[in-house]
Amino acid sequence: MPFTKYFEHRQCEKDIYRLWEESGAFRANADSGRPPFTISMPPPNATGTLHMGHAIGKAVEDLMIRWRRMSGDEALWVPGTDHAAIATESVVIRRLQAEGMKDPRSELGREELVSRIADFVTESRSSIRSQIRALGASCDWTRERYTMEPALNRCVNSVFARMFRDGLIYRGMRIVNWDPALQTTVSDDEIYYKDRQAEFYTMRYGPFLVGTSRPESKLGDTAVAVHPEDERWREHIGKTYEVAWPKGPTITVRVVGDRHVDPETGTGALGVTPAHSQIDFEIAQQHHLPLIQVIDEQGRMTKAAGPYAGMTVLQCRKAFVADLQEAGLMEKVESYVQPISLCYRSKQPIEPLPKKQWFIDVNKPAVLWEGKRQSLRQVMRSVVESGQIRLLPEHEEKTYFHWIDNLRDWCISRQIWWGHRVPVWYRGAKVSDGNVDQAEETYVGHRKPEGPGWVQDPDTLDTWFSSALWTWSTLADPQAALDEELDLDQILERSPDFQRFHPTAVMETAYDILFFWVARMILMTTYSTGQIPFHTVYLHGLILDRDGEKMSKSKPETCIDPLDTIEEYGADALRLAMVLGNSAGTDLKLGQDKIVACKRLINKIWNASKLVERTSEGRQDVELSREGVGHPLNQWMLTRRNALVQLVDRRMQAFAFGDAAEQVRSSFWGEFCDFYLEAIKVEELSKLPETVAVASRTLDDYLKLFHPFMPFLTEQVWGNLKRPGMIIRADWPRVDTALDWPQDANAVQAVVRAVAAVRSMRVEQGIDPGSPVNLRLEPRLNPSIFESCRAVIEKLARTSQLEITDGQPGEPDEKASVAVDEAWRISLSMSAADLEAERLRLAKQLEGGRKRLQSLQSRLENPGFLNNAPAQTVEAARADAAKLQATLEEIQGRLDSLG
């Protein structure tokens, strides 16, 4: 395809992606002898839409895969989608309700609702696939997986059964985080806290004053806890009191001594509500206290709340407080800021409730790891402490260890219908409101037991349970996984991809799901496979808007939609904009201006490639050799190419991808385009056969270095230049010591600095870039190099007269501008004729500017314009006038300086 004026991304990107995919460029070969490099794509929700969080993740993962593929690794990037249990069920239920169905659960029943959700997911998955393709993700679509597919469901069930047999999974009554809005439990890590203004109530019952922010929960108190050494309350320990609330009910509380109570907090007496507080539940377990539930799953008061039954929590609080005040039992009410717990999915308050749930025991020493029995918590700490797993940025290790130190048993059951159903069956069980009790027989396994009367547990598993198996379950052979006679170890033994590509190399994801997902993958994979899931965890930061705030659709002027951006500017511009200036764990401000700047770089690469193509037209290819490269400038370019390759390799190995991209960008723009390509237009250089070979070799290597960051553009240019094969499968550049002249290159670098200095002096003196100047160059080092580059200096510095001395200082010119470097001294001046031409140019520029300013000022003095034009237009005109005035003053200053 010939070069067009611009890189037309809309015409090229889909065709290029199709070419990659159809050629098998993304496909990893499990039988090759290359070292494996594997990334498991964090699975986006099957019903989701690509957002900037997805985009930055896919860009970073893809650049790693492309880099390692070109470097000779057998690179495998496993794509897939997540069934996203709660989120997906909520979406479908809301849709059905919008279509007129009042209660989809009761009207459709479990089987039909699950079927409709599955149909919806099937339709939606194709959308997220196309969006991932639009970004240029070079993942192996032949290995695409889905967390709810049969093979992965088998892995989930087998792990559950094994953990149950090992005593790591149990069912018990605990205080759980209940979301009344979603009607299910949520894990500790699915909760966030938000401060709000609230009241703190101090109430009297019996001989005690007890403080609480939730007076309605006191209707379910069964004890008062005090510190056993608190003299104020010691005599009450062990006693029982009847407390009659103003309008009922009457509660019975026992006073218990507990060392967890802080005597300095409040009155030192803590009302214990075992059914609605995790801490209180633990106190109740220790002291064998009864449990009274006064709040139900809908967030309403139960019959145990007496006259307040049926009220919402807030209605009961208002009524109960009024009754206490009327009875004189409310000691005081104080305002304070309270952190309220909210579900991150529904954004609604969490209600602590007692429920029988399935849990994973994180403290039982039941895991054989590195020769000794350890708990899941211990293994999770060990693999990071020992360096087997590296977290980037490294400061996240402290956060990770803090989370482990405070880790409680993981509640893995959910009261929804969409998801992996708990693989437990009961016979002779009592089923009430979805709860199963008093079963005569219980069976746990990956398939339904034989015989009549078996009823499966109605709960589903936490989405993170199946996602925690992602790195290895996606590599399990589907056929082996569906063989019911094989156990988990046998399945993995018969899975070539697992044997070849696990553990994976890198897990790239957002730092805000370190605990949701990353930690749980470590927990479940070390237990299930005896391997770590990955060697390195790269945590990217958030993409913020240009003001440093989280992107929101409510601020369309700063919110960037990745799909719209790809349509307007192309995937490459978006990808590079997200990577440049980015580093692990750091939030990145991203505005439209940065994307536009990256688009300009794309145009620069396109135009530079066209120039190299024209330069080589009709010229015979020359094999580069040390003996065949004689001009210092060509030697410099190849030496700089070596230095760049070495530097980029170090930065890529260190996961400093933003810095690596910047090094390639600045070298390409400054050294290759602004200096070398301009220099080789000089006749003595352009006619050398070596010059064409050096320009082509260097451009090829720049394209390869750019490819992980901008794959579409580089592939198109590679094809336009008629290079062999596709760049996606080309070899990553390596340092070529045979084509390296560090000493001579340093001397040429001094020439580069000299040209840059002249350009800066022109700007400082207000001399037009095209106006010729007189230049006196006094080399302090390597004068022969300066002389050999004379023609280059004359062209790039735009000289009318160039004097290169023999190193001896000449007569000083008082009117000359001077610049000094360790390798040279430069004096820049203009001839009388050139000075006069420059004065005429500036005078003409000044005259035209004054006319434009006069026109602007007249417009701003016109009442019709001021009264009728939009305020923004008037302000823009004023700004233009002020800017033009400043420019004219600057031109006048330049003119005055010329005399």
Side-chain angles (χ1 to χ4, degrees), residues 130 254 494 763:
S130 66
R254 177 156 59 93
R494 300 185 187 192
V763 173

Side-chain angles (χ1 to χ4, degrees), residues 208 224-238 254-272 283 286-287:
F208 305 102
V224 173
V226 299
H227 195 280
E229 296 177 5
D230 190 335
E231 295 292 340
R232 295 170 296 176
W233 310 118
R234 183 182 292 176
E235 65 181 73
H236 296 280
I237 294 176
R254 177 156 59 93
V255 184
V256 297
D258 194 290
R259 294 189 176 276
H260 291 98
V261 177
D262 183 1
E264 301 300 322
T265 300
T267 63
L270 174 70
V272 179
I283 292 174
Q286 182 179 348
H287 296 281

Side-chain angles (χ1 to χ4, degrees), residues 859 863-874:
R859 192 181 186 197
F865 172 72
L866 295 175
N867 295 331
N868 299 323
Q872 286 180 331
T873 304
V874 174

Side-chain angles (χ1 to χ4, degrees), residues 178-433:
W178 182 262
D179 185 338
L182 295 176
Q183 285 292 288
T184 184
T185 56
V186 294
S187 70
D188 293 342
D189 301 314
E190 293 173 302
I191 292 173
Y192 70 100
Y193 294 88
K194 187 174 182 180
D195 288 344
R196 69 169 185 185
Q197 283 297 127
E199 281 71 47
F200 190 81
Y201 306 87
T202 302
M203 62 181 67
R204 181 179 296 279
Y205 62 97
F208 305 102
L209 288 175
V210 173
T212 181
S213 61
R214 303 195 64 193
E216 69 283 356
S217 70
K218 299 296 101 183
L219 296 165
D221 276 11
T222 58
V224 173
V226 299
H227 195 280
E229 296 177 5
D230 190 335
E231 295 292 340
R232 295 170 296 176
W233 310 118
R234 183 182 292 176
E235 65 181 73
H236 296 280
I237 294 176
K239 293 182 179 179
T240 299
Y241 294 91
E242 298 286 327
V243 179
W245 296 120
K247 293 183 179 178
T250 297
I251 61 173
T252 301
V253 295
R254 177 156 59 93
V255 184
V256 297
D258 194 290
R259 294 189 176 276
H260 291 98
V261 177
D262 183 1
E264 301 300 322
T265 300
T267 63
L270 174 70
V272 179
T273 318
H276 302 288
S277 163
Q278 179 65 41
I279 295 173
D280 292 6
F281 181 84
E282 291 170 2
I283 292 174
Q285 293 285 98
Q286 182 179 348
H287 296 281
H288 309 290
L289 300 172
L291 182 151
I292 301 174
Q293 183 174 345
V294 294
I295 302 171
D296 66 13
E297 287 83 353
Q298 282 69 40
R300 292 184 176 274
M301 307 308 291
T302 67
K303 292 180 181 179
Y308 309 104
M311 293 183 181
T312 66
V313 167
L314 294 180
Q315 289 170 342
C316 175
R317 183 178 303 172
K318 184 177 180 180
F320 186 44
V321 167
D323 293 340
L324 290 172
Q325 289 171 330
E326 185 178 341
L329 296 176
M330 184 63 71
E331 186 73 13
K332 59 181 176 179
V333 180
E334 302 167 283
S335 294
Y336 80 117
V337 176
Q338 178 191 36
I340 182 174
S341 57
L342 303 171
C343 173
Y344 93 98
R345 294 186 186 275
S346 70
K347 307 296 186 288
Q348 297 302 310
I350 289 297
E351 193 64 61
L353 293 182
K355 293 187 75 68
K356 268 195 171 181
Q357 299 289 326
W358 290 97
F359 293 87
I360 291 180
D361 189 332
V362 298
N363 295 302
K364 184 175 181 178
V367 184
L368 185 61
W369 184 258
E370 296 187 340
K372 60 180 180 179
R373 291 283 171 187
Q374 300 185 55
S375 67
L376 293 168
R377 186 209 296 261
Q378 289 171 322
V379 175
M380 292 171 73
R381 172 178 278 277
S382 169
V383 294
V384 175
E385 273 186 339
S386 65
Q388 294 177 70
I389 295 177
R390 179 187 179 198
L391 302 184
L392 294 175
E394 292 180 353
H395 65 73
E396 288 291 350
E397 288 186 7
K398 183 177 179 181
T399 310
Y400 175 82
F401 291 138
H402 176 76
W403 179 80
I404 289 176
D405 291 341
N406 293 278
L407 184 62
R408 297 189 300 186
D409 287 359
W410 174 14
C411 178
I412 56 172
S413 47
R414 298 290 181 267
Q415 287 65 54
I416 59 174
W417 289 352
W418 176 245
H420 293 277
R421 197 160 174 182
V422 172
V424 177
W425 285 262
Y426 310 96
R427 187 148 62 179
K430 179 182 178 183
V431 181
S432 175
D433 295 328

Side-chain angles (χ1 to χ4, degrees), residues 595-615:
I595 298 170
V596 171
C598 291
K599 183 65 174 178
R600 283 199 293 269
L601 175 61
I602 288 171
N603 292 335
K604 189 81 169 178
I605 297 169
W606 188 256
N607 291 330
S609 302
K610 288 195 287 186
L611 176 60
V612 172
E613 182 193 42
R614 287 198 303 270
T615 303

Side-chain angles (χ1 to χ4, degrees), residues 776-793:
R776 178 185 176 86
L777 200 158
E778 301 169 11
R780 296 177 173 181
L781 300 169
N782 304 300
S784 61
I785 294 291
F786 284 89
E787 191 58 51
S788 65
C789 292
R790 171 182 284 274
V792 171
I793 298 171

Side-chain angles (χ1 to χ4, degrees), residues 38-276:
T38 316
I39 295 178
S40 296
M41 179 185 292
N45 290 359
T47 59
T49 300
L50 200 72
H51 54 66
M52 290 304 294
H54 292 131
I56 178 62
K58 301 299 170 281
V60 172
E61 291 156 37
D62 191 45
L63 75 84
M64 284 191 279
I65 284 290
R66 289 178 183 272
W67 165 51
R68 296 315 308 167
R69 184 187 288 127
M70 295 173 76
S71 297
D73 290 351
E74 195 59 59
L76 170 61
W77 187 13
V78 182
T81 46
D82 188 76
H83 66 283
I86 294 176
T88 304
E89 182 168 312
S90 297
V91 167
V92 174
I93 285 177
R94 284 197 300 269
R95 287 194 171 203
L96 291 171
Q97 289 171 334
E99 293 170 3
M101 196 175 292
K102 187 175 181 181
D103 185 355
R105 279 188 165 219
S106 61
E107 293 179 43
L108 295 176
R110 182 167 193 150
E111 186 175 343
E112 178 60 23
L113 179 60
V114 167
S115 175
R116 294 203 183 188
I117 296 172
D119 291 342
F120 174 72
V121 169
T122 300
E123 295 172 8
S124 301
R125 285 178 68 198
S126 61
S127 174
I128 198 72
R129 284 193 200 103
S130 66
Q131 293 167 23
I132 293 171
R133 283 180 164 93
L135 269 170
S138 62
C139 48
D140 188 344
W141 290 106
T142 66
R143 288 176 164 94
E144 182 189 7
R145 308 307 291 267
Y146 171 49
T147 52
M148 278 284 282
E149 68 180 72
L152 270 66
N153 176 253
R154 167 66 195 281
C155 293
V156 167
N157 291 345
S158 295
V159 171
F160 184 101
R162 177 185 285 186
M163 296 186 90
F164 180 83
R165 290 194 300 271
D166 287 346
L168 290 172
I169 284 183
Y170 64 92
R171 187 168 184 255
M173 181 70 77
R174 293 287 187 277
I175 297 296
V176 298
N177 305 308
W178 182 262
D179 185 338
L182 295 176
Q183 285 292 288
T184 184
T185 56
V186 294
S187 70
D188 293 342
D189 301 314
E190 293 173 302
I191 292 173
Y192 70 100
Y193 294 88
K194 187 174 182 180
D195 288 344
R196 69 169 185 185
Q197 283 297 127
E199 281 71 47
F200 190 81
Y201 306 87
T202 302
M203 62 181 67
R204 181 179 296 279
Y205 62 97
F208 305 102
L209 288 175
V210 173
T212 181
S213 61
R214 303 195 64 193
E216 69 283 356
S217 70
K218 299 296 101 183
L219 296 165
D221 276 11
T222 58
V224 173
V226 299
H227 195 280
E229 296 177 5
D230 190 335
E231 295 292 340
R232 295 170 296 176
W233 310 118
R234 183 182 292 176
E235 65 181 73
H236 296 280
I237 294 176
K239 293 182 179 179
T240 299
Y241 294 91
E242 298 286 327
V243 179
W245 296 120
K247 293 183 179 178
T250 297
I251 61 173
T252 301
V253 295
R254 177 156 59 93
V255 184
V256 297
D258 194 290
R259 294 189 176 276
H260 291 98
V261 177
D262 183 1
E264 301 300 322
T265 300
T267 63
L270 174 70
V272 179
T273 318
H276 302 288

Side-chain angles (χ1 to χ4, degrees), residues 436-490:
V436 179
D437 289 304
Q438 301 175 4
E440 296 175 5
E441 294 180 77
T442 300
Y443 172 84
V444 180
H446 64 268
R447 56 185 171 185
K448 182 179 179 180
E450 297 179 357
W454 291 101
V455 177
Q456 189 171 0
D457 193 298
D459 288 350
T460 53
L461 291 168
D462 180 6
T463 297
W464 300 109
F465 187 99
S466 54
S467 298
L469 315 181
W470 186 246
T471 66
W472 64 266
S473 62
T474 53
L475 298 174
D477 183 80
Q479 296 305 315
L482 295 178
D483 187 337
E484 295 188 342
E485 302 307 315
L486 299 179
D487 63 22
L488 186 57
D489 291 337
Q490 291 170 326

